[in-house]
């Protein structure tokens, strides 16, 4: 469904970085009243623009308007969009005025349109895991909640240097004038309302404790509250105390106190944040008074299993692990399915009433008896909620079994997904073996150019043998894995998609970016799942590496270095030395290193480097690659791959707080080595104070033993059971069962960006 975005300021970059997670979203264009900002944003993201709001609203192909303007402009833009017949998804809040918020909801309902408001974090894996724990009463019946949304004295930080990826500064003046409560309280209020239903009453206090927060610009008004405290009584009987400030020390924790224990989270802005459970008994009640005794006795909180891994693209400058596009996707799905969005009009209005009361109790009245309500919200389908569409089914893929090779897929329907494999080489043989270790799928057929090899491989696996044409036409094959030589990928993927099959294609996905674009167009047209099989991304090691980096264990990644080299002895006619067969070190080994860099650091601003070619000829095949990925502000990735010698085949990731070393071999490392830096002030004699100042942050990561962190280092074991190929297959199964057309771990947009980088490198002529 086509959307149009109004507002291309700081937060718009965060949204754009996540829209690719949702193939149902198509951006028709963007508009901003600031022409310079609009041009900069459109150039950076390569997106069409509108010349005016009138032109945008007149575009009949646009069904949803996404309102990312300043909160004080939300009402005006949303109202105009609704009047033009568009559904609206708006940044929080619906409006800064209660009367205007009511008017917007009435207008939407009168015209049969949906009006949804951010935040969408309630749809994230962390919130859904917490909600599931509440429903299952892991801590007993919840009676009391303490929620904190304190961000510290941010006015003392370098606010003027906060700039988004497209070059837009953080609008600190607007943030201070609108108020931290209107901007942030909705994050946890939305969770509480989803879990415990409508609020009955709100009692609030708010104050401006630091009026002069902007020495460079005068605030209007100067006394917007920078701290608020509220007590919310829900109709279900739960009571919550919530604080929100830009004065108190940073704290984004929430604790839910039940009759038999406590549930807690530590981050509101991280879809992958763990949920912790601490259960109570008579002894632990007493031990709570004595923390040291409590720890010795083992009365500590433990992480509970997430409903699923939070894997999605989000990386851009200054971003948190939030899938901002998920709220828009939920609205689009609701429109398609003829239901109300989970972030419904009534739900959004109810949140607006609560948050306005928290920030402006003198206007809204305190205690305030709530005047709005909403219908109960269903959890997400993958978190145990009702299916959003009768045509979709979901699976629960257990990540990965530590006690065996199998990846278990709990079926929601009786029939298994049928796989077919095109190819008969070593990779095809490995994939055939991996399919046999994934529950819920069945290898139906093997097809290849060599009939005898296809028959041999099929016989070994108990599958049918056939030609490639016959395999593509088989009714019992739902998914085709393409494992043919690189130069045949495009043909076989396109033919499979055109035949209505879902496709997983061996890396490198294609031989150039133009082929990727072509496949993306076909996949979108035929509405089928398609994914590059960059198997390294799906292994336990890479999943843990992503969580470690996202947790901030070493701070923002500043540098990544990786190398991979093998002293191949190849005949001149070998496919790896044949450009016509998609050979060369960039496509064979470099793709691993580029994928790692993109996974950890995101898309670079510039790609450069040098190549050594066979025979030292300008038109020779590339046999050694040195790549430099420039991310700006001194951040870079340095990659080296070669056919001409042995290297250490590992990677090092460096941040201001430490280093993570990915052990050899990089594509299935047995472990990750974490060490962190002790800040040394010249002339101060060193010391270990910096080490222990980092301990609290680092110890939050459940994969790093706290005692080893105290010593400044730790090794995290990351064994890969079996061949390792089963994890990418399980990801494809989960996505297909869940109705996704792309994998959030390896979206086609990122595959395209990596191929564009490879094109740039292969075009280098020394």
């Amino acid at each position: 469904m086509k959307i149009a975005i109004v507002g291309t300021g700081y937060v718009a970059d965060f949204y754009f970085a996540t829209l690719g997670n949702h193939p149902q979203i198509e951006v028709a264009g963007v508009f901003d009243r600031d022409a310079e900002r609009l041009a900069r944003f459109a150039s950076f993201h390569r997106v069409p623009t509108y010349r005016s709001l009138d032109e945008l609203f007149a575009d009949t192909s646009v069904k949803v308007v996404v309102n990312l303007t300043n909160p004080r402009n939300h009402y005006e833009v949303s109202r105009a969009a609704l009047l033009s017949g568009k559904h609206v998804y708006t940044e929080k809040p619906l409006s800064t005025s209660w009367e205007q918020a009511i008017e917007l909801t009435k207008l939407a309902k009168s015209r049969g349109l949906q009006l949804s408001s951010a935040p969408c974090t309630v749809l994230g894996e962390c919130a859904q895991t917490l909600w599931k724990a509440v429903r299952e009463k892991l801590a007993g019946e919840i009676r009391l909640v303490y929620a904190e949304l304190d961000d510290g004295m941010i006015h003392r930080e370098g606010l003027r240097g906060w700039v988004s990826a497209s070059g837009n500064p953080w609008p600190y003046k607007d943030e201070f004038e609108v108020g931290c409560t209107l901007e942030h309280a909705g994050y946890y209020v939305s969770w509480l309302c989803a879990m415990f239903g409508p609020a009955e009453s709100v009692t609030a206090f708010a104050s401006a404790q630091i009026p002069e927060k902007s020495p460079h610009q005068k605030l209007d008004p100067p006394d917007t509250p920078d701290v608020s405290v509220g007590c919310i009584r829900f109709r279900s009987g739960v009571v919550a105390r919530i604080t929100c400030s830009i004065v108190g020390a940073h704290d984004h924790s929430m604790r839910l106190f039940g009759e038999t224990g406590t549930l807690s989270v530590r981050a509101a802005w991280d879809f992958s944040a763990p949920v912790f459970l601490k259960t109570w008994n008579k002894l632990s009640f007493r031990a709570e008074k004595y923390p040291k005794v409590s720890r010795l006795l083992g009365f500590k909180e433990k992480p509970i299993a997430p409903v699923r891994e939070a894997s999605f693209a989000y990386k851009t400058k200054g971003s948190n692990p939030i899938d901002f596009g998920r709220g828009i996707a939920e609205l689009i799905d609701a429109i398609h399915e003829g239901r109300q969005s989970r972030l419904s009009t009534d739900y959004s209005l109810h949140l607006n009433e609560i948050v306005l009361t928290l920030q402006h109790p003198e206007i809204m009245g305190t205690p305030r008896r709530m005047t709005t309500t909403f219908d109960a919200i269903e959890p997400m389908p993958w978190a145990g909620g009702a299916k959003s569409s009768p045509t979709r089914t979901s699976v629960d893929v257990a990540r990965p079994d530590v006690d065996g090779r199998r990846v278990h897929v709990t079926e929601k329907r009786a029939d298994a997904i049928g796989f077919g494999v095109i190819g008969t080489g070593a990779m095809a043989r490995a994939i055939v073996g991996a399919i046999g270790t994934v529950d819920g799928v069945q290898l139906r057929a093997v097809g290849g150019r060599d009939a005898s090899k296809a028959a041999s491989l099929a016989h070994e696996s108990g599958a049918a043998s056939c030609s490639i044409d016959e395999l593509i036409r088989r009714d019992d094959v739902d998914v085709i894995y393409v494992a043919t030589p690189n130069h045949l990928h495009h043909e076989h993927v396109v033919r499979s998609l055109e035949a209505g099959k879902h496709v997983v294609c061996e890396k490198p996905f294609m031989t150039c970016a133009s082929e990727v674009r072509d496949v993306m167009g076909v996949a979108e047209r035929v509405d089928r799942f398609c994914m590059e099989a960059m198997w390294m991304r799906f292994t336990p090691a890479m999943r843990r590496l992503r969580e470690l980096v996202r947790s901030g264990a070493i701070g923002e990644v500043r540098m990544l270095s990786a190398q991979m080299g093998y002293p191949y002895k190849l005949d001149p006619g070998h496919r790896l030395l044949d450009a016509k067969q998609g050979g060369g070190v960039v496509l064979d080994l470099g793709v691993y290193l580029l994928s790692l860099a993109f996974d950890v650091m995101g898309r670079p601003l510039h790609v450069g480097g040098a190549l050594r070619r066979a025979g030292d000829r300008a038109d020779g095949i590339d046999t050694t690659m040195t790549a430099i990925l420039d991310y700006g502000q001194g951040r870079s990735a340095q990659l080296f791959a070669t056919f001409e010698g042995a290297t250490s085949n590992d990677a090092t990731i460096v941040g201001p707080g430490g280093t993570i070393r990915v052990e050899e071999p990089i594509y299935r490392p047995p472990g990750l080595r974490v060490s962190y830096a002790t800040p040394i002030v010249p002339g101060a004699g060193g010391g270990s104070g910096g080490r222990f100042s980092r301990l609290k942050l680092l110890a939050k990561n459940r994969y790093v033993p706290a005692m080893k962190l105290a010593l400044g280092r730790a090794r995290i074991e990351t064994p890969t059971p079996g061949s390792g190929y089963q994890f990418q297959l399980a990801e494809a199964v989960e996505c297909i069962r869940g109705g996704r057309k792309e994998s959030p771990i390896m979206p086609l947009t990122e595959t395209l960006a990596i191929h564009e980088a490879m094109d740039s490198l292969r075009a280098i002529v020394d």
Side-chain angles (χ1 to χ4, degrees):
M1 182 178 290
K2 287 190 176 181
I3 69 168
I5 295 175
V6 182
T8 59
Y10 190 83
V11 76
D13 284 301
F14 297 168
Y15 273 83
F16 237 81
T18 64
L19 295 182
N21 298 320
H22 309 285
Q24 65 267 56
I25 299 175
E26 180 181 355
V27 181
V30 298
F31 174 75
D32 194 293
R33 63 186 179 186
D34 185 323
E36 181 181 348
R37 182 167 61 196
L38 175 62
R40 186 168 57 241
F41 183 89
S43 174
F44 182 83
H45 291 289
R46 301 177 185 177
V47 61
T49 63
Y50 293 99
R51 290 169 295 182
S52 66
L53 269 180
D54 289 339
E55 183 183 28
L56 184 154
F57 293 142
D59 187 346
T60 56
S61 70
V62 172
K63 304 303 179 185
V64 176
V65 170
V66 179
N67 185 355
L68 304 183
T69 60
N70 181 291
R72 288 177 288 195
N73 296 324
H74 284 181
Y75 164 75
E76 175 188 351
V77 173
S78 294
R79 180 175 182 275
L82 292 169
L83 288 172
S84 68
K86 316 291 188 188
H87 302 282
V88 173
Y89 183 88
T90 179
E91 249 300 311
K92 57 191 169 354
L94 282 181
S95 174
T96 57
S97 160
W98 179 231
E99 291 74 18
Q100 290 177 348
I102 294 174
E103 181 186 340
L104 286 176
T105 57
K106 288 181 177 179
L107 178 60
K109 290 181 177 182
S110 69
R111 292 181 171 251
L113 298 169
Q114 296 209 39
L115 172 63
S116 274
S117 171
C120 70
T121 51
V122 69
L123 308 179
E125 285 75 5
C126 176
Q128 293 287 318
T129 298
L130 178 64
W131 191 0
K132 186 170 186 284
V134 170
R135 295 196 305 273
E136 294 179 350
K137 294 182 171 55
L138 296 188
E141 199 73 43
I142 301 299
R143 301 298 185 184
L144 177 67
V145 179
Y146 288 167
E148 325 290 345
L149 281 161
D150 297 302
D151 281 297
M153 296 188 182
I154 58 174
H155 65 283
R156 292 187 175 181
E157 300 185 32
L159 305 181
R160 302 180 79 179
W162 294 1
V163 180
S164 72
S166 66
N168 290 314
W170 186 59
Y172 61 89
K173 182 175 183 290
D174 290 336
E175 291 273 336
F176 294 154
E177 290 173 344
V178 170
C180 62
T181 302
L182 277 183
E183 293 280 4
H184 297 159
Y187 285 103
Y188 274 154
V189 170
S190 62
W191 296 24
L192 295 172
C193 287
M195 291 188 291
F196 304 119
E200 181 179 278
S201 64
V202 179
T203 303
F205 167 84
S207 175
Q209 293 301 103
I210 305 176
E212 300 298 329
K213 289 185 283 290
S214 180
H216 310 291
Q217 300 182 62
K218 189 174 181 179
L219 298 181
D220 180 23
D223 58 349
T224 301
D226 50 27
V227 58
S228 66
V229 182
C231 290
I232 307 172
R233 180 179 292 277
F234 293 89
R235 294 180 185 175
S236 59
V238 175
V239 171
R241 187 265 293 145
I242 183 169
T243 65
C244 189
S245 85
I246 49 175
V247 179
H250 186 279
D251 185 356
H252 282 187
S253 65
M254 180 161 67
R255 292 175 293 166
L256 289 71
F257 301 98
E259 294 180 342
T260 62
T262 304
L263 292 164
S264 63
V265 296
R266 297 168 181 165
W269 299 344
D270 184 351
F271 276 22
S272 62
V275 177
F276 295 94
L277 171 66
K278 180 190 287 187
T279 55
W280 293 342
N281 55 44
K282 290 183 179 180
L283 186 57
S284 68
F285 273 126
R286 293 178 178 271
E288 282 283 327
K289 301 177 183 179
Y290 310 100
K292 290 184 179 179
V293 174
S294 182
R295 286 195 296 270
L296 287 172
L297 293 176
F299 297 131
K300 59 182 180 180
E301 58 186 12
K302 298 178 181 179
I304 63 177
V307 289
R308 74 174 188 184
E309 184 193 11
S311 295
F312 51 87
Y314 73 92
K315 298 184 187 72
T316 188
K317 189 176 179 182
S319 64
N320 290 293
I322 296 175
D323 184 358
F324 284 86
R326 195 170 296 183
I328 303 171
E330 164 63 18
L331 174 59
I332 289 174
D333 287 346
I335 295 169
H336 277 310
E337 295 160 11
R339 60 174 174 84
Q340 279 291 310
S341 165
R342 287 174 171 83
L343 310 180
S344 68
T345 304
D346 288 338
Y347 173 77
S348 300
L349 182 64
H350 193 73
L351 298 186
N352 207 162
E353 184 176 11
I354 293 174
V355 173
L356 281 171
T357 303
L358 293 173
Q359 175 149 317
H360 296 299
E362 76 286 358
I363 297 175
M364 300 292 287
T366 185
R368 179 181 179 87
R369 194 110 183 140
M370 298 296 290
T371 62
T372 59
T373 189
F374 61 91
D375 293 333
I377 298 173
E378 282 286 343
M380 297 298 282
W382 39 263
K387 289 181 290 187
S388 59
S389 169
T391 63
R392 296 184 180 179
T393 53
S394 61
V395 297
D396 176 24
V397 179
R399 305 291 189 189
D401 257 358
V402 296
D403 58 347
R405 295 180 53 187
R406 299 190 71 82
V407 176
H408 297 289
V409 181
T410 304
E411 295 283 352
K412 298 296 185 183
R413 64 184 194 185
D415 54 315
I417 287 183
F419 266 75
V421 175
I422 298 179
T424 58
M427 181 51 63
R429 186 173 297 276
I431 294 303
V432 165
I435 291 173
T437 69
V438 181
D439 289 342
V441 303
Q442 183 179 0
L443 179 64
R444 300 277 167 76
V446 176
R449 294 173 294 169
D450 188 319
S452 62
K453 289 184 178 179
S456 175
L457 182 56
H459 177 73
E460 293 173 13
S461 58
S465 169
C466 56
S467 69
I468 294 175
D469 289 341
E470 291 170 337
L471 189 151
I472 291 174
R473 294 196 302 267
R474 287 182 69 104
D475 292 335
D476 62 345
V477 171
D478 305 300
V479 186
I480 290 179
Y481 192 105
V482 175
T484 51
N486 297 346
H487 68 294
L488 298 176
H489 286 183
H490 180 266
E491 175 193 347
H492 293 151
V493 169
V494 169
R495 289 178 60 192
S496 299
L497 288 170
E498 294 280 12
K501 310 300 184 185
H502 304 289
V503 175
V504 180
C505 180
E506 182 57 36
K507 62 83 196 160
F509 190 62
M510 298 290 140
T511 60
C512 61
S514 62
E515 289 184 344
V516 179
R517 294 189 192 95
D518 183 53
V519 168
M520 290 173 69
V522 175
E524 181 178 11
R525 174 167 53 81
V526 301
D527 197 33
R528 288 296 180 268
F529 175 82
C530 190
M531 182 185 82
E532 179 182 17
M534 174 46 72
W535 70 285
M536 179 177 75
R537 282 211 178 187
F538 305 91
T539 62
M542 289 303 111
R543 292 177 185 275
R544 289 198 173 186
L545 176 63
R546 282 193 292 272
E547 293 192 25
L548 194 60
V549 170
R550 290 173 183 175
S551 74
I554 61 170
E556 181 185 43
V557 175
R558 301 286 175 79
M559 191 272 287
L560 180 150
S561 66
Q563 47 279 323
M564 181 181 284
Y566 299 96
Y568 288 155
K569 293 182 179 180
L570 304 172
D571 295 331
H574 193 281
R575 67 170 184 85
L576 289 179
L577 297 180
D578 185 356
K580 292 182 179 179
Q581 294 189 65
V585 72
V586 174
L587 289 176
D588 187 64
L589 300 182
V591 65
Y592 280 105
L593 307 183
L594 286 162
S595 183
L596 175 66
F598 274 67
D599 199 15
V600 172
M601 299 186 69
R603 185 171 183 172
L605 301 176
H606 175 72
V607 177
L611 294 180
R612 171 178 165 81
R613 297 183 181 274
D616 291 326
R617 294 169 45 194
D619 61 347
I621 194 73
D622 48 290
T623 55
T624 294
M625 174 200 86
T626 301
I628 305 293
L629 278 55
D630 180 8
Y631 289 87
Q633 297 185 329
R635 301 172 66 237
S636 67
Q638 303 165 20
L639 314 175
F640 179 80
T642 183
F643 289 161
E644 302 177 281
T647 69
S648 58
N649 296 330
D650 60 2
T652 302
I653 302 164
V654 180
T659 301
I660 303 172
R661 178 173 169 258
V662 182
E663 293 180 348
E664 184 176 3
I666 196 172
Y667 46 82
R668 55 179 303 163
L672 305 174
R673 292 187 179 272
V674 184
S675 61
Y676 63 93
T678 299
I680 299 175
V681 180
S688 61
R691 172 178 297 171
F692 289 99
S693 68
R694 286 288 293 175
L695 178 59
K696 184 176 180 181
L697 171 63
L698 290 169
K700 289 182 179 180
N701 191 292
R702 61 185 183 276
Y703 297 117
V704 184
M707 285 301 294
K708 290 186 178 180
L709 283 173
L711 299 174
R713 61 187 181 276
R715 182 180 185 274
I716 307 166
E717 292 189 1
T718 56
T720 301
S723 68
Y725 297 120
Q726 67 269 35
F727 300 108
Q728 62 184 357
L729 300 175
E731 171 69 12
V733 170
E734 181 180 21
C735 290
I736 292 167
R737 293 289 203 197
R740 289 183 174 178
K741 300 305 181 290
E742 293 187 35
S743 162
I745 298 176
M746 193 72 242
L748 289 179
T749 50
E750 187 143 309
T751 291
L752 173 61
I754 292 170
H755 278 66
E756 289 173 340
M758 291 193 293
D759 283 357
S760 297
L761 289 168
R762 295 167 72 206
I764 293 173
V765 178
D766 293 332

